Amino acid sequence: MSHFSTIKTQLKEAEPLIKALNNLGYKIDQEEKFVKGYQGKFTAVDISMHLPGDTEVGFKYDKNSSSYELVADLDLWKFEIPVERFISKVTQMYAYQTIISKTKEDGYQIVEQKNKNDGSIELVLTKWDN
Amino acid sequence: MPQKTLRFKIHQDGRVEETVEGFTGNSCNEATKDLEDALGKVTVKNKTSDAFISNQNEKLKQLNKESNVTF
């Protein structure tokens, strides 16, 4: 039996999220734990960083959704890509990191990886049964 | 010994399409349960049989052959 699934990725864990941010070239600030959020209010975050263009963003763990949410003052957003696109990029890389690390733990090997024209990443992994 | 194959298409918005092949019985569900839990919410799940997939592949190969136009 085989199956086909579609999964909506959620930023559930810190480790793959930090890996994804590093992989995209964003540098995380270890010190700063407050970021200006909605209406310029300082908000405690778990991960904070500066994006080029001096845009400060953070990720805060939300217990209700059991996932990390972006904290940023959108009035001060100066980064080269819109905030929605930024979240998409981070989520795509998070999914990639999660798949790579979980399948490696299970003994799978990457046999193919392609960046497609539509911006998607295609991955094929295999394992021989024993 | 069958080869197990996982195929992923990670869309730009982070949506993941996953195809799991080469498992016997329901073991394919267990094989990727942890991964699916780690990723997020499964929104669509369809069971397919390997026979169906290989039939489709044969059909595709045939179609490709037929539509191969050389100039």
Side-chain angles (χ1 to χ4, degrees), chain B residues 32-49:
Chain B
T32 52
K33 196 188 172 299
D34 280 356
L35 175 62
E36 287 166 3
D37 285 346
L39 279 173
K41 257 187 209 143
V42 175
T43 52
V44 184
K45 191 157 196 161
N46 286 314
K47 278 188 182 175
T48 56
S49 74

Side-chain angles (χ1 to χ4, degrees), chain A residues 82-101:
Chain A
V83 64
E84 296 80 13
R85 184 75 201 94
F86 171 74
I87 296 172
S88 295
K89 265 179 89 164
V90 172
T91 310
Q92 185 188 32
M93 192 51 79
Y94 179 94
Y96 174 82
Q97 289 296 343
T98 304
I99 290 169
I100 295 290
S101 70

Side-chain angles (χ1 to χ4, degrees), chain B residues 6-65:
Chain B
L6 309 178
R7 294 174 198 277
F8 299 96
K9 187 175 175 75
I10 313 168
H11 289 271
Q12 260 191 322
D13 60 0
R15 197 163 31 96
V16 176
E17 286 173 14
E18 170 197 70
T19 311
V20 180
E21 296 163 15
F23 288 82
T24 47
N26 277 326
S27 63
C28 68
N29 288 328
E30 281 151 39
T32 52
K33 196 188 172 299
D34 280 356
L35 175 62
E36 287 166 3
D37 285 346
L39 279 173
K41 257 187 209 143
V42 175
T43 52
V44 184
K45 191 157 196 161
N46 286 314
K47 278 188 182 175
T48 56
S49 74
D50 286 343
F52 172 77
I53 289 170
S54 54
N55 275 343
Q56 289 292 313
N57 284 343
E58 284 308 310
K59 261 187 214 164
L60 273 177
K61 271 184 202 157
Q62 192 60 34
L63 276 174
N64 279 338
K65 249 188 215 166

